[in-house]
Amino acid sequence: MILGRKNIVLTAFVLICLLPLLMGFVYSLGYSLGVFGLMNEGFTLDHWLRLFASKDAWSSLIYTFLLTLVSITLVIVFAGLLSRAFVSKPERSFTQKLLLLPLLFAPVAAGFAWYYVLSPAGILSRISHALGLTEDITSFPRMVNDDWSIGILLVHVFLVLPIFTFLFTAQAKSMNLLEMNKLATSLGSSRLQCFTKLWLPALVKRFKLLIVLYAVFFMGTYEVPLILGQSSPRVLTVFISEKLTMFSLDDIPLGHCMAVFYSACIFIVLSFFLYRQKSTAS
Amino acid sequence: MMKLGKSTLALFVLLPLLCVIYLSVVSAWTYPLLFDAEFSLKHYLVLFSGESELAWSFVQSVLLSLVMATLGLLFGFFVAKEIAFSKYGSRLLKLAFYPYMIAPVVLGSMLQFYFVRWGLSASFFGVMLAQSLFILPYAVLIMSSFWSENILQLFKLGQSLGGDAKTVKRTLLYPLAKPWMLLTFAQCFLISWFEYGITQVLGIGKVKTLSVISMQFLKEANPHPAAVAAVLMIVPVLLTFIILYRWQNKAQGNWSAIAPINNSLSHHPKKVGA
Amino acid sequence: MIEVRQWQKKYAELEVLKSLNFQMEEGKTLAVLGESGCGKSTLLKTLAGFDVPDGGSFLFNGQNINALPVHQRGIVYMSQEALLFPHLNVFDNLAYGLNIRKVSKATQREKVMVLAQELGIEDQLEKMPSELSGGQKQRVNFGRALITQPRMLLLDEPFASLDSGTRMKMQKLFIESAEKWKLSTIFVTHDIKEALIMGSLWGTMSNGSLELFESKQAFIAAEQSGAKEEMAFWQTIQSENGRKDDE
Amino acid sequence: MKKLRYLILLVLLSACGTSPESEPSSDAASMTWEEQLEAARGQEITLMMWPGDPLINAYMKSYVKPEVKQRFDIDLNIVPGQGNQIVSSLMTELEAGKESSEVDMVWINGETFYQLRQIKALHGPFAKSLPNAEFINWESAFIGTDFQQPVNGFECPWGNVQMTLIYDSLKVSTPPMTLDELGLWVKANPGKFTLGNNFTGMTLLKAWLIDFAGGGKSLNGDFDEAKYLEASTKLWEFINTHKAYFWNEGKSFPKDLAEQHRLFANGELAFTMSNNDSEVDNKIAQGLFPESARAYVPDYGSIQNSHYMGITSLSENKKAVEVVINFLISPEAQLKKMDPRVWGDGTVLDVNKLSVEWQQKFQNVPGRVHAPERSEIAAKALMEPAPEYMMRLFEDFRLKVIEG
């Protein structure tokens, strides 16, 4: 009974969670430092210096960060609005059931479907042509592979909005936010103020961890920008996978540098939010 | 106002589904053809031609997802129990987030070396193993919300009313865990069903799940077979869920249908966008 | 005769039960008064077999049942929260103990009906636990234990979360049933009044030690029961009222 | 903490494996072809190839695959992967010290060939010993040399094509024949022209680069940094001054050729391009391009090159791969491939070396309708410059144009 079944199971769990990550991390780190790899010739910091000297890498980092920020903000705001509308409705209205639909979309399928809805030769464009709103293909506004990442944002919202809406609605009910809203209104708050000062903050505070987790998901978004994104700037995951399979073999270590950087960031952010909460709670 | 909002929302949610269904039944789809395009089921008929890659891909996806869901369920059920009642339970449990939150495509790239070295890449088993890396921890996350102090109390109560461990498991534990198990199974199934990044990287395109194959068609700018793949990805799952939902509601009270979903959704996000 | 000897339990370094000794006759109700954290729940849980004591013996007519697994002890533990099986309706909750003993459906039905009548829940049998009120839940909880004809009931503040009206009804129901079924019971509470109503034996518990009293009077007289303080309080109120009436 | 240190050590140990770089030996000589056919029976081989064209895929999946199964009992499994993916997956295998490869056969040319040779991932020489190799037109500089590198039997020629620009004759009455004319045209027709950030787009850029370097054979020979810098500076300047008039204002470029074709088909673009001179016919036949689509080669010329089949050095089924490659260069398979309705890929065989019967068949291949005859455009054919040019163009296109 030195080990015991319990300890074996727990050890197995910890190993499954951490060992592969550690192994991957060590390999990529080694590669980025010139230790592993067919084309590498021993320890060097060159690759890291090259990464941080490249505009490409920085624009990818900044772009991914902004995309994450805007995506999660849009999701929160829309979910907030929808929860405000749904909170007084019966549990499972048709609209609410319909909102479950995106949960059955793989990111690949969602990206694909929206591409053909939004692209200049897509369904909306054809409808607007049929209605005489646009004359030809070029007069339709560009929403895929576009400057503002409209397509990507839309798909992000599409995929995540349902979950947030359901959670927000359930939480608003159990926190009796509607009553508080009435109270605030009677104290002279406008509808907008009620929403921005009371409704959203209450929900955001309650789901802080979940919001962070989804932000981390958005940081790692891959298929959607692969289908709907521009060639530059690219999100981190696309940057990494492109560098790793680039024409230039010299660029492979850069991909590993970025992979190390990305996973270290995720690790730090997660550890901060997961374990800080614990220590303040106890 | 309300009505407008409702229809906008309905459109937003339905448009992509309608779009893939539409794309799967048109051909020679040049701009600006819309309803005057050529409609046919020929992209579907290919499925039954015997040599169809897509049909095989569907079978392979179903198999893979079923295996992953089963593994997730078993692993989640037993490991979550040990974790829930361990001294460091909540701290240990949080470790499960790490593999789950790293983008699979990056995780796959970082691990490619090992998979190749150990002869695991480009095989069904390798992809299974790769998906296990984050599906198993995730399953533990969901199942651990079942293993509460309350469940332990009920278990002991069952024993004190005269049931031995086996009987109590049969009459109390499993029936109580059923909704959680169903949820874990379904979630693991879906994660595997949706997965693209790690399957592509470590399967080297040889393990052609539906998501891998629809991306391939997409890169060929061949939207119609890609749409068939997407329909195959969405519609069977949609039907299964409708049936399950109906059956759950009929078979049991509200308790079982709602409890775990509320519980686990708020703690553990569903994998998306990665 | 029920006898507990040298009963002790430690959690980490904390001595929750300090070598307890007591005995009681079968068919009696031992009412134990104690503040929260005095170790009374631990006492009940270790007796029920939910938790393993660090030492001591638990004798029923001289037979040590300490080594028996939970399901063979015939001791039912009931807590403040009526823990009903949430996936079973009231009937199945009540019949649970019979069901696992493979009693025939007809007998189950018969016994459950009789008991439900007694407990006044005969019209609730089809309901799910979530649809019941607190008092109803506790009745089901009680009935579910009674139907297995346990040798002993361990009640851990079972009525603490009920409103006072329901609570009185439940107390009455309990006393009647205890009489009828000849139940041996340890009843833990922090309410002196309840202890006095329910008990046929009395004890107080503090810091992991249990002290039994020979009689009701001794219990009331004892400093640690707090009965005197309570009485003094009511007397002051009464005399104040009396004075007011005089004026 | 101590445990953790062991763990890291363990990981490091398993990561530091050696990679065998021994030159693969060719022992085909010790076997007759009949013996080799027998040995190949029942084998399963994996071909990694660019999947971006439905017709090519169809040729492989519904002609080659069943034929080799039926004739040689070989199961051909096709997985998608472009040049760069081929390099990276074979490289990972070598790094991991694998003894056998997941990929047996690769469709490559140019810089992929160069890189695979660099990392010693190719088996060879094998090409000249294949029975059908005697018909190959090795003498042609466009076949026996791949991006200025002698093939030396490490890859076997499979097809030969010349790049053409494709335009919609309804929208473009006289296609621009020089870069200056192209500049004027895009200014007059903004948003209608672009080039892909891909293999085909880079092939067009190479022709432009050669034009800026002085045209014709000015970039032949080994990579010349000075020449590249001089010509490419002019090239980026030309593109950057005009890209505002490109599709999507030059803010993005199509990733895949398929995407560009689709944009052309839908009328968003007036131009697309193809590495294959007869593609315009097969796309019209498929109904993808309008009937008014035409292909042409501008005056500054266009790259003519060949594409090849290679065998990976770690393949366990080299014999079977050779059998399949030998089939691919058989007159029969080459003829079929040449049909514009099938693929329209130029043959690498010297038709004069074939029997009269086959010669006639090759002469009777259904003619080109909207594509120019090869003999017409051959005069404007440019040799592929050294692979470094391609790699630098890729890198600089991203740096100086996409991000610039």
Side-chain angles (χ1 to χ4, degrees):
Chain A
M1 278 301 284
I2 298 168
L3 269 175
R5 197 183 63 156
K6 190 183 183 86
N7 283 329
I8 293 174
V9 170
L10 292 182
T11 313
F13 171 74
V14 173
L15 285 182
I16 284 182
C17 289
L18 295 185
L19 189 62
L21 280 184
L22 188 71
M23 282 166 56
F25 193 81
V26 167
Y27 179 70
S28 282
L29 187 68
Y31 211 118
S32 74
L33 291 172
V35 182
F36 307 137
L38 224 47
M39 306 298 282
N40 272 321
E41 287 157 354
F43 181 83
T44 172
L45 286 174
D46 279 2
H47 306 309
W48 282 93
L49 296 175
R50 220 150 49 89
L51 181 78
F52 287 109
S54 97
K55 201 181 143 202
D56 192 14
W58 282 110
S59 65
S60 173
L61 269 173
I62 294 168
Y63 172 67
T64 309
F65 180 74
L66 290 177
L67 192 70
T68 299
L69 206 67
V70 177
S71 300
I72 197 80
T73 311
L74 286 176
V75 168
I76 291 171
V77 171
F78 283 119
L81 287 171
L82 285 179
S83 68
R84 180 72 186 77
F86 284 158
V87 77
S88 48
K89 296 280 175 322
E91 193 74 12
R92 292 172 203 173
S93 69
F94 182 68
T95 329
Q96 288 185 57
K97 272 190 203 161
L98 214 53
L99 200 54
L100 286 167
L101 205 53
L103 296 178
L104 302 180
F105 270 75
V108 178
F112 160 70
W114 279 103
Y115 183 91
Y116 280 93
V117 170
L118 298 175
S119 75
I123 288 177
L124 286 183
S125 171
R126 289 171 197 231
I127 292 174
S128 94
H129 177 84
L131 296 175
L133 296 173
T134 45
E135 205 170 309
D136 69 350
I137 203 158
T138 46
S139 45
F140 190 75
R142 180 153 275 286
M143 289 184 284
V144 296
N145 315 115
D146 59 318
D147 280 353
W148 296 97
S149 310
I150 294 173
I152 301 177
L153 290 171
L154 209 71
V155 179
H156 278 174
V157 171
F158 174 78
L159 287 170
V160 176
L161 185 66
I163 298 164
F164 272 77
T165 305
F166 287 116
L167 291 176
F168 277 14
T169 310
Q171 188 63 25
K173 271 183 191 167
S174 78
M175 281 163 64
N176 246 330
L177 279 186
L178 211 52
E179 291 304 313
M180 279 196 241
N181 238 17
K182 280 181 193 153
L183 188 70
T185 319
S186 68
L187 292 172
S189 300
S190 70
R191 278 175 71 120
L192 184 69
Q193 278 174 326
C194 281
F195 185 70
T196 57
K197 298 261 149 65
L198 177 78
W199 196 272
L200 268 192
L203 292 171
V204 167
K205 198 166 170 216
R206 164 68 181 79
F207 289 111
K208 201 166 70 188
L209 182 63
L210 193 77
I211 289 169
V212 171
L213 293 179
Y214 271 95
V216 171
F217 272 154
F218 284 136
M219 291 270 295
T221 175
Y222 178 59
E223 297 97 309
V224 177
L226 196 63
I227 298 170
L228 293 154
Q230 281 188 317
S231 4
S232 173
R234 306 161 280 184
V235 293
L236 282 176
T237 49
V238 176
F239 179 95
I240 292 168
S241 68
E242 273 186 14
K243 286 288 177 198
L244 291 180
T245 54
M246 265 297 254
F247 278 97
S248 162
L249 300 181
D250 303 338
D251 275 354
I252 293 177
L254 292 193
H256 283 289
C257 287
M258 195 58 116
V260 166
F261 185 78
Y262 159 80
S263 43
C265 285
I266 301 292
F267 193 85
I268 291 167
V269 170
L270 270 185
S271 304
F272 181 76
F273 281 96
L274 288 176
Y275 288 100
R276 187 197 60 161
Q277 290 222 331
K278 166 82 191 166
S279 56
T280 48
S282 64
Chain B
M1 184 62 196
M2 207 61 205
K3 211 155 203 170
L4 185 72
K6 240 185 205 173
S7 9
T8 313
L9 187 69
L11 200 66
F12 176 66
V13 170
L14 279 174
L15 209 54
L17 182 64
L18 297 177
C19 170
V20 290
I21 294 174
Y22 169 81
L23 280 174
S24 71
V25 295
V26 294
S27 38
W29 194 61
T30 51
Y31 185 85
L33 296 179
L34 188 59
F35 293 110
D36 37 358
E38 191 185 317
F39 289 91
S40 83
L41 288 175
K42 70 176 183 190
H43 307 299
Y44 284 95
L45 292 178
V46 178
L47 283 175
F48 306 102
S49 69
E51 275 286 288
S52 163
E53 238 186 346
L54 205 53
W56 169 233
S57 165
F58 178 73
V59 173
Q60 201 166 354
S61 278
V62 171
L63 276 177
L64 181 65
S65 300
L66 283 178
V67 169
M68 291 318 301
T70 312
L71 282 179
L73 177 60
L74 293 174
F75 188 83
F77 188 82
F78 293 108
V79 176
K81 180 185 162 202
E82 300 298 343
I83 286 182
F85 302 123
S86 136
K87 211 158 117 195
Y88 308 104
S90 70
R91 290 184 158 246
L92 283 180
L93 185 62
K94 285 175 182 174
L95 293 179
F97 279 105
Y98 289 90
Y100 185 61
M101 300 302 289
I102 299 264
V105 64
V106 177
L107 184 64
S109 304
M110 298 203 303
L111 288 170
Q112 195 182 17
F113 169 84
Y114 301 96
F115 272 70
V116 169
R117 188 183 173 85
W118 294 325
L120 295 166
S121 67
S123 70
F124 188 84
F125 180 74
V127 169
M128 234 174 75
L129 191 75
Q131 294 195 349
S132 303
L133 298 182
F134 50 87
I135 289 183
L136 297 190
Y138 179 71
V140 175
L141 278 180
I142 309 184
M143 277 310 300
S144 62
S145 65
F146 165 71
W147 288 108
S148 59
E149 195 52 38
N150 203 32
I151 291 295
L152 200 65
Q153 291 290 331
L154 285 172
F155 191 85
K156 287 175 174 172
L157 192 65
Q159 284 187 311
S160 75
L161 288 171
D164 56 30
K166 222 172 111 193
T167 313
V168 178
K169 273 183 192 160
R170 182 175 51 81
T171 53
L172 284 183
L173 198 62
Y174 296 134
L176 282 173
K178 208 170 87 185
W180 270 267
M181 290 162 91
L182 203 64
L183 184 75
T184 308
F185 190 86
Q187 287 271 29
C188 292
F189 184 93
L190 283 184
I191 296 174
S192 169
W193 189 249
F194 289 169
E195 218 290 318
Y196 171 75
I198 214 165
T199 312
Q200 170 63 31
V201 172
L202 296 179
I204 320 190
K206 273 192 182 179
V207 183
K208 290 179 184 154
T209 58
L210 282 174
S211 55
V212 168
I213 208 167
S214 62
M215 191 65 118
Q216 273 172 28
F217 283 129
L218 203 54
K219 284 192 171 165
E220 286 178 25
N222 213 348
H224 310 302
V228 176
V231 168
L232 285 180
M233 245 193 286
I234 298 162
V235 173
V237 181
L238 178 66
L239 292 178
T240 315
F241 268 66
I242 291 174
I243 292 166
L244 267 183
Y245 187 83
R246 290 266 154 97
W247 170 74
Q248 265 264 331
N249 273 7
K250 217 183 275 177
Q252 285 158 332
N254 287 340
W255 173 79
S256 56
I258 301 304
I261 296 176
N262 283 346
N263 218 324
S264 74
L265 266 184
S266 55
H267 295 303
H268 318 304
K270 174 186 155 272
K271 190 112 194 152
V272 275
Chain C
M1 184 59 78
I2 300 164
E3 206 175 343
V4 173
R5 290 187 196 151
Q6 310 277 314
W7 201 249
Q8 41 190 303
K9 177 78 189 167
K10 262 191 201 171
Y11 285 112
E13 288 309 300
L14 187 70
E15 237 182 315
V16 184
L17 298 177
K18 290 174 190 157
S19 192
L20 284 179
N21 289 293
F22 68 89
Q23 41 180 287
M24 60 185 276
E25 275 172 60
E26 279 182 78
K28 295 269 174 159
T29 298
L30 168 62
V32 176
L33 192 64
E35 298 302 320
S36 50
C38 67
K40 54 194 173 152
S41 290
T42 308
L43 173 63
L44 296 193
K45 282 179 182 169
T46 47
L47 290 178
F50 290 3
D51 229 333
V52 188
D54 296 332
S57 45
F58 182 14
L59 305 166
F60 253 88
N61 296 328
Q63 182 209 355
N64 191 353
I65 65 159
N66 200 17
L68 290 180
V70 179
H71 67 277
Q72 286 170 12
R73 293 192 183 203
I75 295 178
V76 181
Y77 171 81
M78 284 165 60
S79 63
Q80 176 174 339
E81 295 302 325
L83 272 182
L84 301 187
F85 303 132
H87 61 305
L88 301 178
N89 66 15
V90 169
F91 180 92
D92 290 330
N93 259 287
L94 287 170
Y96 182 81
L98 301 177
N99 200 12
I100 56 179
R101 288 181 175 78
K102 307 229 160 50
V103 173
S104 75
K105 289 281 165 208
T107 323
Q108 281 186 31
R109 176 119 224 122
E110 200 179 308
K111 289 200 170 179
V112 167
M113 291 320 269
V114 172
L115 190 64
Q117 207 111 40
E118 245 176 72
L119 295 170
I121 45 173
E122 66 274 21
D123 49 350
Q124 312 286 330
L125 293 174
E126 295 305 314
K127 286 193 177 163
M128 294 305 282
S130 56
E131 301 167 89
L132 299 180
S133 70
Q136 287 168 330
K137 276 185 194 164
Q138 211 45 289
R139 279 165 202 256
V140 178
N141 194 13
F142 192 39
R144 186 179 57 184
L146 286 181
I147 213 162
T148 64
Q149 294 179 312
R151 1 181 184 210
M152 193 167 192
L153 273 184
L154 304 173
L155 303 171
D156 193 353
E157 307 211 21
F159 310 138
S161 54
L162 303 178
D163 62 78
S164 60
T166 317
R167 192 171 175 161
M168 267 161 63
K169 277 188 212 148
M170 288 300 295
Q171 287 168 346
K172 192 158 160 266
L173 179 73
F174 174 79
I175 294 167
E176 285 166 10
S177 311
E179 194 108 319
K180 183 171 168 222
W181 296 70
K182 306 255 177 303
L183 291 171
S184 310
T185 311
I186 299 181
F187 190 109
V188 164
T189 178
H190 63 267
D191 179 352
I192 170 86
K193 198 171 140 220
E194 189 165 70
L196 288 168
I197 295 173
M198 308 292 292
S200 46
L201 294 166
W202 293 271
T204 60
M205 198 163 172
S206 62
N207 289 330
S209 311
L210 177 68
E211 188 182 341
L212 249 56
F213 299 91
E214 271 155 33
S215 63
K216 201 179 214 169
Q217 284 67 31
F219 176 64
I220 293 171
E223 193 67 36
Q224 58 271 46
S225 73
K228 277 208 263 182
E229 261 176 72
E230 181 97 7
M231 267 154 47
F233 171 75
W234 289 113
Q235 270 159 7
T236 332
I237 302 264
Q238 206 173 22
S239 55
E240 273 173 15
N241 281 350
R243 244 176 290 149
K244 268 184 202 146
D245 289 343
D246 290 345
E247 282 166 19
Chain D
M1 202 52 217
K2 205 166 186 181
K3 270 187 199 151
L4 191 68
R5 209 172 313 147
Y6 281 125
L7 210 64
I8 293 174
L9 201 69
L10 203 77
V11 171
L12 284 172
L13 278 176
S14 65
C16 295
T18 51
S19 49
E21 291 194 29
S22 58
E23 188 70 8
S25 63
S26 174
D27 54 2
S30 59
M31 224 181 214
T32 69
W33 186 249
E34 276 68 34
E35 283 168 349
Q36 184 163 350
L37 285 178
E38 200 45 51
R41 271 191 189 281
Q43 303 281 358
E44 189 183 333
I45 61 174
T46 300
L47 161 64
M48 191 179 254
M49 63 179 280
W50 175 65
D53 186 287
L55 271 195
I56 301 177
N57 295 344
Y59 172 74
M60 292 307 293
K61 282 176 191 162
S62 33
Y63 172 68
V64 175
K65 198 176 147 112
E67 287 291 321
V68 296
K69 176 69 185 168
Q70 198 208 332
R71 292 175 192 217
F72 314 112
D73 191 23
I74 294 174
D75 283 300
L76 181 65
N77 181 20
I78 299 169
V79 299
Q82 299 194 43
N84 45 4
Q85 286 157 319
I86 293 173
V87 176
S88 81
S89 47
L90 293 183
M91 190 156 143
T92 314
E93 288 183 341
L94 290 170
E95 285 169 348
K98 286 275 289 181
E99 295 187 343
S100 70
S101 175
E102 288 299 331
V103 180
D104 303 290
M105 182 173 167
V106 286
W107 185 27
I108 51 177
N109 76 350
E111 82 294 336
T112 310
F113 176 59
Y114 171 78
Q115 289 178 335
L116 290 180
R117 288 284 284 146
Q118 249 188 319
I119 62 172
K120 300 191 172 75
L122 284 180
H123 160 75
F126 73 94
K128 291 209 169 160
S129 56
L130 299 177
N132 284 328
E134 61 173 305
F135 306 122
I136 289 179
N137 185 8
W138 295 105
E139 294 75 29
S140 163
F142 295 100
I143 291 174
T145 316
D146 185 9
F147 284 47
Q148 309 287 325
Q149 316 155 82
V151 167
N152 281 343
F154 279 84
E155 56 179 0
C156 179
W158 184 31
N160 176 276
V161 286
Q162 185 170 351
M163 165 129 189
T164 54
L165 286 171
I166 296 168
Y167 65 100
D168 187 339
S169 57
L170 289 179
K171 293 177 180 146
V172 185
S173 46
T174 44
M177 297 306 276
T178 65
L179 281 176
D180 289 338
E181 283 177 36
L182 178 67
L184 291 174
W185 190 88
V186 293
K187 281 186 182 165
N189 303 276
K192 294 284 188 190
F193 181 87
T194 192
L195 54 101
N197 178 22
N198 53 38
F199 194 81
T200 313
M202 292 307 119
T203 309
L204 178 68
L205 284 190
K206 273 186 278 187
W208 291 4
L209 189 75
I210 293 172
D211 192 38
F212 282 116
K217 295 180 174 167
S218 45
L219 291 186
N220 280 8
D222 287 341
F223 179 74
D224 184 327
E225 180 79 28
K227 275 193 202 166
Y228 172 77
L229 281 179
E230 197 195 329
S232 67
T233 310
K234 293 181 196 160
L235 174 65
W236 305 133
E237 197 188 311
F238 171 77
I239 294 178
N240 284 328
T241 48
H242 293 92
K243 75 174 180 186
Y245 306 102
F246 281 15
W247 173 75
N248 195 21
E249 298 169 14
K251 284 173 188 158
S252 63
F253 296 86
K255 265 177 285 208
D256 312 304
L257 182 63
E259 190 187 338
Q260 187 169 1
H261 283 345
R262 197 176 56 227
L263 295 170
F264 176 75
N266 286 325
E268 262 191 273
L269 289 174
F271 283 91
T272 181
M273 58 195 69
S274 173
N275 268 331
N276 175 357
D277 38 285
S278 69
E279 182 161 7
V280 64
D281 280 336
N282 71 41
K283 286 288 181 295
I284 292 174
Q286 282 176 73
L288 186 63
F289 286 1
E291 282 286 340
S292 50
R294 299 287 180 274
Y296 81 110
V297 174
D299 286 343
Y300 48 80
S302 71
I303 302 280
Q304 186 188 349
N305 67 19
S306 296
H307 44 92
Y308 303 80
M309 283 292 178
I311 304 176
T312 60
S313 55
L314 294 181
S315 166
E316 284 187 316
N317 300 310
K318 299 190 178 86
K319 297 278 167 291
V321 183
E322 287 180 1
V323 171
V324 173
I325 294 179
N326 189 58
F327 171 71
L328 291 179
I329 56 170
S330 66
E332 193 182 349
Q334 289 273 314
L335 181 69
K336 174 109 179 161
K337 183 160 69 76
M338 212 171 164
D339 187 334
R341 291 163 306 184
V342 176
W343 173 352
D345 190 31
T347 182
V348 292
L349 303 182
D350 182 349
V351 180
N352 296 324
K353 291 183 186 169
L354 299 174
S355 68
V356 181
E357 190 191 343
W358 278 113
Q359 288 189 19
Q360 279 171 351
K361 284 188 184 168
F362 270 93
Q363 272 140 23
N364 292 333
V365 167
R368 294 160 174 234
V369 189
H370 304 291
E373 285 305 322
R374 292 205 78 172
S375 49
E376 287 170 31
I377 60 175
K380 296 183 193 170
L382 300 167
M383 284 271 279
E384 281 278 7
E388 288 94 332
Y389 287 106
M390 176 79 145
M391 279 148 37
R392 289 293 290 274
L393 282 177
F394 249 117
E395 206 175 312
D396 288 345
F397 184 67
R398 165 160 284 286
L399 278 173
K400 310 233 154 116
V401 178
I402 297 182
E403 289 163 31

